[in-house]
């Protein structure tokens, strides 16, 4: 079951690390209001990632009996989806290296001045991202233990994804003005995008390995 927790941690970091509009919003909130507001926004992102991981894990377990006969082709399909997401992240990171390519989401968070408002607002924004559920669904369908559903395994996977996302987003919030410029700048976004794409590509390869 430790493998499920580790898989969740890797998956959580894979989806959390790239610095995009939401991360820059968290940086802006933390810098312009307080760490409490930034931390609430960070936990909202982690909650959304955890919810999507749970939906994917439960869905994968529910389909286990149906997908068992075609588990091999499904792993190939899942690997292709993950590689596609990695390529998309790499392309986005490469485009974001340009100084004029950065989004300006702080303006959208102008009303998120309290922890409660920040949590609800950022949770809603993050849940609107369909790429996240596609990412987690591909991971779950690509895992061998999806064919033998186990509540504890699924729970550990979800916990790992939540903890990874929460730890990274809280680091972003805690950095605030200290590392905000470095992460949100073209070079920072390129580096984090490359790291995320590498993680996702590694997960894609792992789904194809015998085990």
């Amino acid at each position: 079951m430790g493998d499920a927790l580790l898989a969740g941690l890797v998956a959580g970091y894979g989806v959390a690390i790239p610095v995009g509009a939401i991360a820059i919003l968290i940086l802006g909130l933390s810098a312009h209001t307080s760490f409490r507001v930034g931390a609430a926004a960070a936990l909202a992102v982690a909650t959304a990632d955890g919810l999507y991981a749970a939906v994917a894990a439960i869905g994968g377990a529910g389909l286990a009996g149906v997908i068992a006969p075609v588990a091999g082709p499904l792993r190939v399909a899942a690997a292709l989806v993950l590689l596609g997401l990695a390529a998309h992240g790499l392309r986005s990171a490469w485009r974001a290296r340009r100084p004029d390519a950065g989004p300006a989401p702080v303006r959208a968070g102008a009303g998120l001045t309290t922890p409660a408002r920040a949590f609800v607002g950022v949770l809603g924004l993050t849940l609107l991202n369909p790429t996240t559920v596609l990412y987690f669904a591909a991971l779950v369908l690509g895992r061998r233990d999806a064919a033998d559903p186990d509540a504890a395994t699924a729970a550990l996977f979800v916990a790992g994804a939540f903890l990874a996302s929460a730890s990274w987003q809280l680091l972003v919030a805690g950095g605030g003005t200290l590392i905000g410029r470095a992460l949100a700048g073209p070079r920072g976004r390129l580096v984090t995008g490359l790291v995320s794409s590498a993680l996702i590509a590694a997960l894609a390869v792992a789904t194809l390995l015998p085990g």
Side-chain angles (χ1 to χ4, degrees):
M1 290 197 299
D3 290 342
L5 179 62
L6 179 60
L9 287 169
V10 174
Y13 282 123
V15 77
I17 284 177
V19 175
I22 295 295
I24 297 175
L25 173 59
I26 293 173
L27 285 167
L29 287 173
S30 184
H32 292 93
T33 56
S34 67
F35 172 72
R36 290 180 58 201
V37 174
L43 291 176
V45 176
T47 299
D49 288 344
L51 287 173
Y52 270 143
V55 168
I58 293 170
L63 292 172
V66 177
I67 68 175
V70 290
L74 266 181
R75 282 198 292 271
V76 174
L80 291 175
V81 170
L82 290 172
L83 286 173
L85 291 173
H88 175 73
L90 183 61
R91 185 177 61 180
S92 298
W94 186 251
R95 288 179 175 176
R97 79 190 191 284
R98 299 193 305 268
D100 60 342
V106 176
R107 203 177 297 169
L112 308 180
T113 54
T114 67
R117 288 181 179 178
F119 184 89
V120 173
V122 175
L123 177 63
L125 288 173
T126 309
L127 286 174
L128 291 175
N129 184 7
T131 304
T132 306
V133 73
L134 176 64
Y135 169 74
F136 281 115
L139 282 178
V140 171
L141 291 176
R143 286 175 57 80
R144 273 90 181 150
D145 50 21
D148 184 19
D150 178 86
T153 298
L156 284 172
F157 177 79
V158 173
F162 174 83
L163 290 173
S165 181
S167 63
W168 176 259
Q169 303 300 346
L170 285 171
L171 176 64
V172 171
T177 54
L178 295 177
I179 61 172
R181 290 183 180 179
L183 283 179
R187 182 173 297 180
R189 293 172 66 191
L190 176 61
V191 170
T192 56
L194 290 174
V195 171
S196 173
S197 295
L199 279 176
I200 295 173
L203 290 169
V205 173
T207 66
L208 298 175
L209 295 177

